[in-house]
Amino acid sequence: MAATTGERDLPTTVRNHDEAVRRFGDHATTYFDSMWEGDPLADAFVADFASIGHGKGMRMLRTACREGIDAVPEAPESLTALFAGLDDVPDWVDLPSIYRGSRHFARYTRQSGIVLGAASLVSGYANSAASRPLELTGRYVENAGMRTIEVGSWLLAINQQGGLDRFSEGFELTVRVRIIHALVRQHLRQSPEWDDAAWGVAIPQAFLAYTLIEFCLIPLRGMRAIGAPYLPREVDTFYAMWRYIGHLLGIREDLLPVDEADQQRLEDLYLLTRPEVDDYCHRLVGAINDEFLVPEIEELLPHRLHPVAPPTVHALERIFLGDGIADELGVPASRMTYVVRVLGPFLCLLNGLIDRVPGTMGVRTRMGERYRVKQEERLRSRYGVHHDLVDDSPAGGQAHPARDPGWSC
């Protein structure tokens, strides 16, 4: 007999329901219920595209982001409701504190780029249901570099000082990410290829909440593993920042992690119940490795050492993901794993000592910011990416529901 959540059966790909309820109680029940919920406010706005038009709807959205909802007198009720929620900043948000605590994040720009690809993005591929929207929109295997740069553009904007202010670029990109999710959800809801019984709602609240783990808990762990630890106050800032980002992305308050303990509990629940890895998950990992991570590691090495790049990437993924998930994803064992494990604690100690030397934080931060600008220019040139997010990408290649509303199922 199928396990149930509320009045509906659980998606059939969910595993270990009974154990999850035993271990996590009401939190598991809430998590399972949210498998059937998308983002009501964003979904309602996207539904109105049928009457106002996709292009006009996105222009309204951008105007409301940049000038406020009052600058859009013809806004549908759905857009007004969306921005009523976005403009209602929770009492727990303290942006000045976030900006103070994050002002030196950029000193680890090089390391954070590695962790983004080999930890944050790859960790999301160990779930066939969560990866399915990428497959059915043709979004990643064809151009892993492009999507990685798109994600990086968003992260770069929100990590700037002032990057979460109401009229900042980071705020706008975050809201557009939310609407992109809703556009994909709408498209897949209408697609005969989407299997509700197996996967639940496309991009459900449960998996949206897990994106905070992908971009917060996992990167913090990964940075420490390769010897780039943030200070305790910076770690607290990271959790506070991503809590607010989760709010902007439309994650339900009862699923929104507050701190490390909440994120760890959500990760444990997710890993216990996630659907099995499938062939497409393997192809996703192969694409980001072959098209992006290995070439980027080669960029850092003399030509004669290029053969070291693939085993280095595999070693990083095994350290970031753990051997169990790495095995599921088909990441080969690597002798370089031992090297990275040995170097990590040494570099942690070294960087921790340097952090305590007066004046060094500012100097390293400025160096990191200069490197970030050059890296952004180099990557965009190398992969031919001249846009920020997929909704603004040029025509060509396989269509995407966020870019081409005329794409038929």
Side-chain angles (χ1 to χ4, degrees):
M1 180 177 177
T4 60
T5 170
E7 298 179 355
R8 304 190 67 170
D9 290 342
L10 269 178
T12 57
T13 53
V14 171
R15 298 184 289 177
N16 303 315
H17 167 270
D18 292 346
E19 182 180 352
V21 172
R22 178 180 60 79
R23 287 177 54 185
F24 299 100
D26 290 344
H27 186 63
T29 302
T30 299
Y31 180 83
F32 290 135
D33 286 343
S34 74
M35 293 282 188
W36 296 108
E37 181 180 351
D39 179 347
L41 290 174
D43 293 342
F45 173 55
V46 165
D48 279 339
F49 282 18
S51 58
I52 65 175
H54 181 279
K56 184 175 182 180
M58 292 303 289
R59 288 192 294 274
M60 287 180 176
L61 181 79
R62 293 191 186 208
T63 299
C65 284
R66 297 171 185 178
E67 303 176 38
I69 190 63
D70 291 342
V72 191
E74 73 278 29
E77 290 184 7
S78 58
L79 185 62
T80 301
L82 175 66
F83 274 85
L86 290 167
D87 288 332
D88 184 15
V89 181
D91 293 339
W92 45 261
V93 176
D94 185 350
L95 289 179
S97 176
I98 287 174
Y99 297 146
R100 286 194 302 272
S102 64
R103 66 185 182 278
H104 296 307
F105 280 178
R107 72 187 186 281
Y108 288 136
T109 294
R110 291 175 186 265
Q111 297 91 330
S112 63
I114 293 171
V115 170
L116 168 63
S120 294
L121 295 180
V122 175
S123 69
Y125 305 152
N127 178 335
S128 56
S131 300
R132 196 69 59 185
L134 290 173
E135 179 179 15
L136 297 182
T137 57
R139 187 59 197 138
Y140 200 23
V141 167
E142 290 79 1
N143 197 331
M146 178 180 290
R147 183 171 181 271
T148 305
I149 292 168
E150 290 169 352
V151 173
S153 296
W154 171 50
L155 296 177
L156 177 62
I158 61 180
N159 277 287
Q160 297 292 317
Q161 290 293 294
L164 292 174
D165 286 350
R166 171 59 182 84
F167 298 103
S168 68
E169 180 188 15
F171 180 94
E172 178 182 329
L173 290 181
T174 303
V175 175
R176 282 169 55 199
V177 166
R178 183 173 177 177
I179 298 305
I180 289 167
H181 289 160
L183 286 163
V184 170
R185 194 180 298 113
Q186 180 193 61
H187 169 74
L188 293 178
R189 186 180 296 119
Q190 300 166 355
S191 171
E193 295 182 275
W194 186 260
D195 186 345
D196 275 344
W199 305 319
V201 169
I203 318 179
Q205 282 286 323
F207 296 163
L208 277 174
Y210 183 72
T211 60
L212 302 194
I213 281 72
E214 291 177 336
F215 293 113
C216 185
L217 178 65
I218 289 173
L220 287 172
R221 209 160 50 204
M223 294 290 280
R224 175 166 287 278
I226 60 173
Y230 293 110
L231 298 173
R233 65 177 180 274
E234 293 178 310
V235 171
D236 291 341
T237 294
F238 219 71
Y239 286 110
M241 182 178 77
W242 277 100
R243 184 185 181 191
Y244 182 44
I245 294 168
H247 168 76
L248 295 178
L249 288 172
I251 297 171
R252 281 170 33 173
E253 193 70 27
D254 56 355
L255 281 174
L256 190 59
V258 172
D259 52 21
E260 180 178 4
D262 274 0
Q263 289 210 15
Q264 185 64 67
R265 179 179 62 168
L266 180 57
E267 182 186 39
D268 290 344
L269 174 57
Y270 171 90
L271 292 176
L272 176 66
T273 60
R274 67 185 168 88
E276 293 181 347
V277 164
D278 63 8
D279 288 342
Y280 184 70
C281 298
H282 293 157
R283 285 158 48 207
L284 282 171
V285 176
I288 193 172
N289 286 350
D290 295 343
E291 297 182 23
F292 190 79
L293 290 174
V294 169
E296 288 308 302
I297 294 294
E298 288 176 344
E299 188 76 22
L300 302 175
L301 300 172
H303 184 75
R304 68 180 184 279
L305 293 180
H306 281 192
V308 176
T312 299
V313 169
H314 299 152
L316 290 167
E317 288 171 343
R318 285 194 160 268
I319 288 169
F320 294 151
L321 304 176
D323 287 332
I325 294 177
D327 287 342
E328 290 183 51
L329 289 171
V331 177
S334 171
R335 294 180 180 178
M336 290 297 294
T337 304
Y338 174 77
V339 176
V340 178
R341 289 194 192 281
V342 169
L343 283 177
F346 170 75
L347 291 174
C348 254
L349 177 61
L350 178 61
N351 281 317
L353 291 173
I354 295 173
D355 281 347
R356 289 169 173 77
V357 177
T360 60
M361 295 279 275
V363 172
R364 292 158 65 208
T365 298
R366 289 189 292 274
M367 291 174 61
E369 289 170 344
R370 287 195 294 269
Y371 174 80
R372 185 163 58 191
V373 171
K374 291 180 180 179
Q375 181 76 340
E376 176 85 356
E377 293 173 352
R378 183 185 68 79
L379 288 174
R380 288 185 172 278
S381 174
R382 178 172 188 165
Y383 294 95
V385 178
H386 306 292
H387 60 277
D388 44 33
L389 302 178
V390 64
D391 62 316
D392 202 33
S393 61
Q398 185 166 351
H400 187 279
R403 181 182 66 207
D404 182 357
W407 181 33
S408 64
C409 299

